[in-house]
């Protein structure tokens, strides 16, 4: 089934953050202050303990994105002139089939029509509000630029995917592999995410549940996106997408 652009009214992105164990550890180290106490190994162990606690208490971290971020699987990606640190985040996305509200984990996958590929781009420089630190993250600014979510190329029916927790997520930048991880590294699987979201929001047909991105983002490699870069993203059984980055000023 081909992906029609899902930017129609009523389609929203429910994005899971900090949902891959190794990715969270890498981010914590990357954002660690130079004068932070303790060693890097101690910092990794501390983050791992926090994730274990989250998993035990069943507390995913989810925020909402706009349908206007969606672009096609082969469209150019316009890097906004204000984005200082644009980064890739390839991930598995679940497409909701029918209204889901307060569904259990056991029944949650019955509400998934199929799966597709999403590249949930982020401007790392604007994730945190520098002027208002107590407020924390600013997902509107850092994730919702037009075209920041290349989607597709296909929606593969859920029945054709034997196990969504056993798929390989791979992103190559200019031919070099940057992300290559199994969805088995997710802290919260698709069923837990759909159930968790549905306890608060009513999921509607066509809504997307983005399951988070594995390790290997640009912030980890110290190499962010720039004009002329080409990203090739694939997930087992879901096809592949190709995105060329174009600077806004170069259009």
């Amino acid at each position: 089934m081909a992906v029609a652009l899902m930017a129609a009214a009523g389609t929203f992105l429910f994005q899971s953050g900090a949902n891959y164990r190794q990715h969270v550890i890498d981010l914590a180290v990357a954002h660690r202050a130079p004068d932070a106490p303790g060693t890097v190994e101690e910092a990794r162990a501390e983050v791992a303990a926090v994730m274990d606690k989250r998993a035990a208490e069943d507390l995913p971290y989810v925020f909402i994105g706009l349908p206007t971020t969606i672009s096609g699987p082969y469209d150019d990606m316009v890097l906004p002139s204000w984005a200082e640190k644009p980064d890739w985040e390839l991930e598995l996305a679940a497409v909701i089939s029918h209204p889901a509200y307060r569904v259990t984990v056991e029944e949650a996958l019955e509400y998934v029509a199929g799966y597709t590929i999403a590249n949930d781009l982020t401007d790392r420089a604007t994730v945190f509000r520098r002027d208002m630190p107590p407020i924390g993250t600013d997902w509107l600014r850092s994730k919702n630029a037009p075209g920041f979510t290349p989607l597709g190329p296909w929606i593969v029916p859920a029945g054709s995917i034997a196990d969504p927790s056993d798929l390989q997520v791979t992103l190559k930048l200019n031919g070099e592999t940057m992300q290559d991880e199994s969805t088995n590294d997710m802290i919260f699987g698709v069923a837990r995410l759909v159930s968790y979201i549905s306890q608060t929001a009513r999921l509607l047909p066509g809504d997307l549940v983005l399951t988070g991105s594995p390790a290997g983002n640009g912030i980890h490699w110290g190499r962010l996106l720039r004009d002329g870069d080409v990203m090739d993203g694939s997930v087992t059984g879901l096809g592949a997408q190709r995105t060329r980055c174009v600077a806004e000023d170069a259009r």
Side-chain angles (χ1 to χ4, degrees):
M1 182 187 303
V3 170
L5 288 186
M6 303 168 81
T11 296
F12 284 92
L13 288 70
F14 292 85
Q15 296 151 287
S16 177
N19 196 39
Y20 275 78
R21 190 176 187 84
Q22 190 58 47
H23 172 55
V24 177
I25 292 173
D26 288 347
L27 280 180
V29 172
H31 287 290
R32 189 168 180 262
D35 58 348
T39 66
V40 170
E41 289 72 22
E42 289 171 338
R44 288 179 177 273
E46 182 178 348
V47 175
V50 170
M51 288 188 290
D52 289 341
K53 185 172 186 292
R54 284 180 57 220
E57 295 178 352
D58 201 19
L59 289 175
Y61 179 51
V62 181
F63 48 93
I64 300 172
L66 299 175
T68 51
T69 65
I70 296 173
S71 59
Y74 314 116
D75 293 346
D76 286 349
M77 158 61 57
V78 177
L79 300 173
S81 57
W82 52 262
E84 298 175 18
K85 297 181 178 180
D87 199 353
W88 58 85
E89 293 198 66
L90 199 75
E91 48 198 85
L92 173 69
V95 184
I96 298 300
S97 59
H98 53 288
Y101 186 58
R102 294 184 179 173
V103 302
T104 66
V105 174
E106 292 71 23
E107 64 187 352
L109 293 185
E110 298 173 12
Y111 294 83
V112 175
Y115 299 95
T116 190
I117 304 171
N119 193 351
D120 185 23
L121 272 76
T122 304
D123 176 46
R124 300 292 180 191
T126 52
V127 169
F128 300 104
R129 286 298 297 258
R130 300 168 185 169
D131 58 329
M132 294 182 288
I135 288 180
T137 50
D138 186 348
W139 297 124
L140 173 67
R141 182 68 165 168
S142 61
K143 281 188 173 287
N144 283 281
F148 253 34
T149 313
L151 192 69
W154 316 107
I155 297 174
V156 176
S160 297
I161 302 298
D163 185 359
S165 66
D166 187 25
L167 305 175
Q168 199 71 13
V169 179
T170 305
L171 183 136
K172 295 182 178 181
L173 179 69
N174 303 328
E176 181 179 357
T177 299
M178 309 303 279
Q179 290 182 287
D180 192 22
E181 183 65 80
S182 170
T183 52
N184 187 53
D185 195 46
M186 286 193 293
I187 301 169
F188 301 100
V190 176
R192 292 180 76 181
L193 290 173
V194 170
S195 175
Y196 174 80
I197 294 166
S198 78
Q199 303 310 307
T200 300
R202 187 183 301 277
L203 288 161
L204 297 175
D207 282 345
L208 297 167
V209 176
L210 276 57
T211 59
S213 186
N217 304 110
I219 196 72
H220 166 71
W221 295 111
R223 165 59 161 94
L224 285 306
L225 292 170
R226 51 190 182 230
D227 185 41
D229 282 343
V230 175
M231 296 178 287
D232 289 292
S234 64
V235 176
T236 308
L238 303 184
Q241 57 176 232
R242 168 167 281 203
T243 307
R244 183 173 67 97
C245 298
V246 180
E248 184 174 34
D249 294 341
R251 296 180 72 194

